[in-house]
Amino acid sequence: MLDLNRLKALHAVHIYGSVGAAADALMVTPSAVSQQIAKLERETGARLMERNGRGVRLTDAAGLLAEHAERILALVETAEADFEALRGEVVGRLNIAAFPTATRGIMPKALAALRERHPDLWIQLIEREPERVVRDVARGELDLGIIQDWLNRPMALPDGLSKATLLDDIADVALPAGHPLADAREVELADLHGERWISSSPGTVCHDWLVFTLRNASLEPVIACMADEYPTQLALVAAGLGCAIVPRLGRDCVPAGVRLVPIRPRQSRRIYAVWRADAARRPAIRALVEALAEASRVQENAWAVN
């Protein structure tokens, strides 16, 4: 009988293209993936991987088996979801991912509430950028993910995914305290012509959005510094090295030398939970989405008070 864990390892190599990438997706070591496939070779009596330059490639037999593995794993997931739904118990294991500010701003409250209510539910959380979260949820490597997009640049989701909006995260421009517009009630992006900008890394959602948004306002972005964490961006602003657009979820600690000024028209990003539609029957998914929504409401209430 074919072992499901070994089929999953083979399927991951088939999907991600290498042993290393498959190991990263499965959150194990490359050696563990190679060992699982070696055992699968012994089970099937077929050669499944062969050398290809410095790496390896799957054989034709492996490709055929990987296609069957995809259907088998999908059926197993459906069976598990149906069984959990029948019992109505919030149990089992969920692998989830979120981008950094959501990990810090939403997940602690949500996961603490889940642990108190459902002690038999095991959740593993990792940080990942939204595009990869969407890909890994769609492929079944993650059960649920937290993603973001900006209202003026929405992200398309592949078929087969469901989503729930958690909150709208308003962004303001962060200016050094000595900036001429630091005490303004609000600014238009056009008012910031000629400014130096602090951004996240190229290829990230927020960097690409910033460039897109500034160019739509007829501003050619001059990126002076790049940092992926908003606290670091704010520290750079406080040092007078540029300005940044920072959403509320990313500014839990604002340095004294920074002023936050609303932008007209308002800029905001929407934060979602996404999961595979055929997993929606799982009580654990429903409980997690509910806890995330509650934690998001707590965060929005805190912003309203402040």
Side-chain angles (χ1 to χ4, degrees), residues 32-44:
V33 172
S34 296
Q35 289 174 19
Q36 291 281 39
I37 293 179
K39 292 176 181 178
L40 190 57
E41 286 183 326
R42 292 195 291 271
E43 283 181 346
T44 60

Side-chain angles (χ1 to χ4, degrees), residues 199-302:
S199 170
S200 52
S201 301
T204 60
V205 170
C206 291
H207 173 90
D208 294 347
W209 170 82
L210 178 65
V211 171
F212 171 82
T213 300
L214 292 178
R215 285 177 175 164
N216 270 1
S218 300
L219 301 176
E220 184 58 32
V222 177
I223 308 297
C225 304
M226 288 180 282
D228 289 332
E229 290 289 341
Y230 284 119
T232 306
Q233 292 187 19
L234 289 170
L236 294 168
V237 173
L241 298 175
C243 54
I245 296 180
V246 181
R248 290 177 177 179
L249 203 58
R251 57 188 197 225
D252 47 336
C253 183
V254 180
V258 173
R259 299 292 182 267
L260 295 166
V261 182
I263 302 168
R264 185 179 66 247
R266 188 175 77 173
Q267 304 292 323
S268 64
R269 61 181 183 173
R270 185 156 289 170
I271 297 174
Y272 307 92
V274 294
W275 63 94
R276 289 181 303 286
D278 57 6
R281 298 184 300 278
R282 295 183 64 184
I285 292 289
R286 295 198 299 270
L288 175 55
V289 173
E290 180 181 344
L292 289 167
E294 290 176 0
S296 298
R297 286 194 293 271
V298 169
Q299 183 62 71
E300 287 183 314
N301 291 336

Side-chain angles (χ1 to χ4, degrees), residues 149-215:
D149 63 16
W150 291 84
L151 294 186
N152 65 336
R153 201 177 191 196
M155 178 187 297
L157 293 181
D159 293 338
L161 294 189
S162 296
K163 70 178 182 179
T165 300
L166 299 178
L167 57 87
D168 285 341
D169 192 11
I170 298 171
D172 301 314
V173 62
L175 300 172
H179 192 282
L181 296 173
D183 296 322
R185 292 179 61 88
E186 59 183 11
V187 299
E188 294 186 7
L189 289 177
D191 298 332
L192 300 169
H193 176 76
E195 294 290 341
R196 294 161 62 88
W197 290 91
I198 295 163
S199 170
S200 52
S201 301
T204 60
V205 170
C206 291
H207 173 90
D208 294 347
W209 170 82
L210 178 65
V211 171
F212 171 82
T213 300
L214 292 178
R215 285 177 175 164

Side-chain angles (χ1 to χ4, degrees), residues 9-18 21-22 58 66 70 135 139 141:
L10 177 67
H11 179 252
V13 174
H14 177 68
I15 290 295
Y16 291 99
S18 72
L58 296 181
E70 183 170 2
R135 182 193 70 183
R139 289 177 172 177
E141 304 301 340

Side-chain angles (χ1 to χ4, degrees), residues 33-114:
V33 172
S34 296
Q35 289 174 19
Q36 291 281 39
I37 293 179
K39 292 176 181 178
L40 190 57
E41 286 183 326
R42 292 195 291 271
E43 283 181 346
T44 60
R47 188 172 182 82
L48 301 177
M49 287 198 309
E50 58 189 17
R51 287 287 175 188
N52 182 31
R54 294 185 177 181
V56 297
R57 71 174 187 88
L58 296 181
T59 64
D60 291 342
L64 176 64
L65 187 56
E67 291 176 4
H68 286 292
E70 183 170 2
R71 293 191 291 271
I72 291 168
L73 293 170
L75 285 171
V76 169
E77 180 179 27
T78 300
E80 290 174 342
D82 286 344
F83 190 65
E84 287 183 23
L86 179 66
R87 292 192 302 174
E89 298 175 0
V90 181
V91 296
R93 178 189 182 97
L94 293 177
N95 292 319
I96 67 175
F99 60 95
T101 49
T103 301
R104 183 172 63 249
I106 299 174
M107 299 309 301
K109 293 183 182 67
L111 297 187
L114 276 175

